[in-house]
Amino acid sequence: DTGVSQNPRHKITKRGQNVTFRCDPISEHNRLYWYRQTLGQGPEFLTYFQNEAQLEKSRLLSDRFSAERPKGSFSTLEIQRTEQGDSAMYLCASSFENTIYFGEGSWLTVV
Amino acid sequence: SQELEQSPQSLIVQEGKNLTINCTSSKTLYGLYWYKQKYGEGLIFLMMLQKGGEEKSHEKITAKLDEKKQQSSLHITASQPSHAGIYLCGADLNNFNKFYFGSGTKLNVKP
């Protein structure tokens, strides 16, 4: 499969724990995006990388959230000290030139 | 997303009826994507439109991008229960520095 890959697909964690999601973009795609989607809403932009550089961060990305793309390939999104309000689907996308592709998403449930 | 307005927010139609969903932007759309999403699942790519006046069809779904490239419509002909889901428009408003989504249209098709 050469699409955008996200894992884990589902994660249940206790409030206060840290979680990390990984996104493997399509090979050679230089742009990578993270979005968050809660029930009944469209996906909301979180952050964007061009190669390894994080070019933009949404105000939604509080200081408990950090995203990295160390070698310009895969990316990780870490949420520290999770709160119940962090429960959502976290979507990753990658793009090259003018076409964007989305992963299946990683569902987070904070209990 | 305030950048993309989708209407209606929700729609209930009888099986066999036609319907239209609209996506409007205040900025020029460099690329307009339509996605379908089942509850709790990832995005299913439907169509992408780039040129003003462009129209694409797949099975019973037709999408159009107006000449000014600021509005798109998604039309479903003879709707079926399998068409039920959330329809999202997504767009590049800044030549791929950021990809925005509409808030989605929830479609129910009554048998």
Side-chain angles (χ1 to χ4, degrees), chain A residues 66-82:
Chain A
S66 61
E68 294 182 346
R69 195 183 183 196
K71 297 181 180 179
S73 56
F74 75 90
S75 175
T76 56
L77 177 68
E78 182 183 17
I79 308 173
Q80 295 182 326
R81 304 181 303 280
T82 52

Side-chain angles (χ1 to χ4, degrees), chain A residues 1-2 4 11 20 40 44-46 50 54 62 72 87 91 109 111:
Chain A
D1 189 308
T2 57
V4 178
K11 177 75 176 177
T20 300
E44 297 170 296
F45 172 82
L46 290 179
Q50 181 150 327
Q54 189 173 19
S62 75
S87 296
L91 267 172
T109 302
V111 297

